[in-house]
Amino acid sequence: MLTRGLRAVREMYELTRGLGNLRVLLVSGLVGTVAGGLLNPVMPLYLQSRGLDLQGIGFVYSVGSLVPIFLQPVMGSLSDRYSRKGFVVGLSLVTSLLVPVMALFAHPLPLAAALSLKLLLARSAQPVNGALVADFAPVKKRATIFALLDASTSFMFVLALGASAFVIRWLSTQYTFFLAGGLFLISSLLLLRLEEPAREPSKARASGGEWKLALDAVRAPLDYVRGSPRLAGLFAWQFFFAFALNLFPIYIPLYAMKLGAPSEAVGPLVAVSWLVYAFAQPFGGRLSDALPKRNGLILAGLAGMVVMSAVLGFAGWIPAPYGLIVMVVAWALLAVPDGLHRPSAQAVVVEVAPASERGRFMGALGGCAALAQVLAPLTYGFVARHAGLSSAFLLSSGALLLSLAGMAWAPERAAPAAVAHTPVLTPSQEPG
């Protein structure tokens, strides 16, 4: 595994020869991923130990996405007009400092407030970060490069998950938060080496002051759909895919323990899917670049995720210890169709994004994802509390089916355009 991971990082590094900014983003992302991998198995259990029930945990994650529904489009539009680097570095530094702060609270209310603020800022920065990557990324072998970038961080995340039990036992949960906070800070400081990208003039520059720009950004999804009705499918895919994915980082650790997994095995168990995902993604990226159209691969991948998420739900109704075995196998297999189709889906997103207003377009998509991230934890928390965790996974399967329907309607370009990838839905962005 380690050899394969190092090979993916080396191959990604070679593909970005002469692209120093992408290398900075790669290294920064790898450091941040280690921090996220250490926190992933801790966070839901830590919240539960401080007095939050399943529905309360869902509420915390929802609050962290409420403001970004409106803030993401605004941030994206402002980055078109001003500095992408300034927004990314500033927000990254602030969120990194909030991680160790969470370890200082024993009462659930200030802890929930700190986590919600961290999520709010991190999610608000996503469309700006996506537009920044789009400014630096090359056109050729787009899906391959995106897949290797995500695979490199996924392998690093697996290694961090594997080490999480040892680190937590050695340092304690509180000091693990301090270690993760330090790594997030290093990741943020590395971003200072980025250059401000050269961009095409934005249409937003002539649209008036900041208040008008903000209002235009908030209504951006309606503007895009009015101009091209089939973009509604892309926005629907973004919403339902984000809704479905929101279940896994919050409830997989709790689901594994409910089915009989010991607490020290939760980190490695979660890592199984990330490991498979990291192996599948480079193959999916290369396959996508070799195909004349991407939609077939995307729809097949989403269909596979629908089936595996449903199997995850049924695992909770199987007697022990077989239920846990089925859950682990389904969790691992879920990553195969996900890894195969995700680079294609990301490429389709950026191939229809207007080059002169990438931030605004990605912010509009990000607002849809943020709305899903508000509704999903509340919905899953309510369903898990009243109908059990198995039903929550079945609901996630239904959301994936709706995302498939949206992508089937979404536009697709047969030939790549000179725009690049957004990491809005990279799973390692928000571990824990």
Side-chain angles (χ1 to χ4, degrees):
M1 182 192 73
L2 181 59
T3 302
R4 177 71 180 184
L6 291 175
R7 186 182 307 161
V9 174
R10 185 172 61 251
E11 188 173 354
M12 180 64 204
Y13 199 74
E14 291 172 355
L15 281 173
T16 57
R17 189 182 304 276
L19 302 170
N21 288 305
L22 281 180
R23 289 186 172 182
V24 171
L25 291 171
L26 171 65
V27 175
S28 174
L30 291 177
V31 176
T33 299
V34 173
L38 295 177
L39 286 183
N40 183 272
V42 175
M43 190 62 74
L45 303 177
Y46 182 68
L47 295 174
Q48 197 173 53
S49 71
R50 292 298 186 267
L52 292 170
D53 60 12
L54 293 177
Q55 194 164 1
I57 293 172
F59 179 76
V60 170
Y61 279 82
S62 291
V63 171
S65 290
L66 185 59
V67 176
I69 295 174
F70 308 101
L71 198 55
Q72 282 199 7
V74 174
M75 290 288 231
S77 292
L78 288 174
S79 76
D80 286 334
R81 175 174 287 190
Y82 300 112
S83 167
R84 297 217 209 284
K85 177 184 174 181
F87 276 100
V88 169
V89 173
L91 290 171
S92 181
L93 283 171
V94 174
T95 52
S96 69
L97 296 175
L98 284 170
V99 173
V101 169
M102 288 188 286
L104 303 177
F105 299 120
H107 194 276
L109 289 181
L111 172 62
L115 177 57
S116 295
L117 181 58
K118 174 189 174 294
L119 292 171
L120 185 157
L121 294 174
R123 290 171 176 174
S124 296
Q126 286 177 8
V128 184
N129 188 49
L132 186 66
V133 175
D135 291 333
F136 294 139
V139 176
K140 294 182 179 179
K141 296 185 178 180
R142 177 183 297 138
T144 300
I145 290 178
F146 304 159
L148 285 171
L149 183 60
D150 286 348
S152 301
T153 55
S154 295
F155 273 115
M156 193 63 68
F157 189 63
V158 168
L159 294 176
L161 283 173
S164 62
F166 170 77
V167 172
I168 294 166
R169 189 164 51 247
W170 176 47
L171 291 179
S172 78
T173 299
Q174 184 178 38
Y175 286 102
T176 300
F177 273 86
F178 288 124
L179 173 61
L183 291 172
F184 277 128
L185 181 60
I186 293 172
S187 174
S188 302
L189 293 175
L190 286 170
L191 295 175
L192 292 172
R193 295 181 60 85
L194 289 173
E195 300 173 2
E196 184 65 34
R199 303 190 303 272
E200 294 183 22
S202 172
K203 297 176 183 178
R205 291 183 184 274
S207 63
E210 278 68 21
W211 284 108
K212 187 176 187 304
L213 182 67
L215 292 174
D216 289 343
V218 170
R219 70 163 189 262
L222 297 176
D223 291 341
Y224 286 121
V225 171
R226 190 181 301 116
S228 178
R230 292 195 66 177
L231 281 177
L234 196 62
F235 285 105
W237 163 78
Q238 175 76 95
F239 175 84
F240 289 111
F241 194 65
F243 188 100
L245 290 187
N246 203 262
L247 173 73
F248 302 120
I250 304 174
Y251 290 111
I252 277 288
L254 299 175
Y255 195 42
M257 293 190 68
K258 178 180 180 295
L259 294 180
S263 59
E264 62 270 14
V266 170
L269 189 151
V270 172
V272 169
S273 187
W274 289 90
L275 179 60
V276 176
Y277 179 83
F279 275 96
Q281 263 208 315
F283 179 75
R286 292 186 179 96
L287 179 60
S288 176
D289 282 334
L291 293 173
K293 288 181 179 283
R294 306 187 195 272
N295 267 16
L297 184 60
I298 295 172
L299 298 180
L302 287 170
M305 294 184 72
V306 169
V307 173
M308 288 300 106
S309 186
V311 174
L312 275 172
F314 290 128
W317 299 332
I318 300 174
Y322 304 107
L324 180 61
I325 295 172
V326 171
M327 179 236 166
V328 173
V329 172
W331 175 235
L333 292 180
L334 177 74
V336 175
D338 191 7
L340 289 177
H341 93 280
R342 188 96 63 111
S344 294
Q346 293 168 335
V348 167
V349 167
V350 299
E351 284 164 6
V352 300
S356 63
E357 48 183 80
R358 288 171 180 159
R360 184 173 186 261
F361 185 84
M362 294 177 183
L365 282 174
C368 291
L371 178 60
Q373 289 165 342
V374 169
L375 298 177
L378 289 175
T379 305
Y380 290 134
F382 179 83
V383 171
R385 183 175 183 179
H386 295 283
L389 280 171
S390 294
S391 298
F393 283 91
L394 293 176
L395 179 60
S396 176
S397 178
L400 286 168
L401 183 61
L402 292 173
S403 74
L404 187 156
M407 186 56 81
W409 172 252
E412 179 188 22
R413 289 184 181 177
V419 285
H421 147 79
T422 172
V424 167
L425 293 176
T426 298
S428 59
Q429 271 194 323
E430 288 186 18

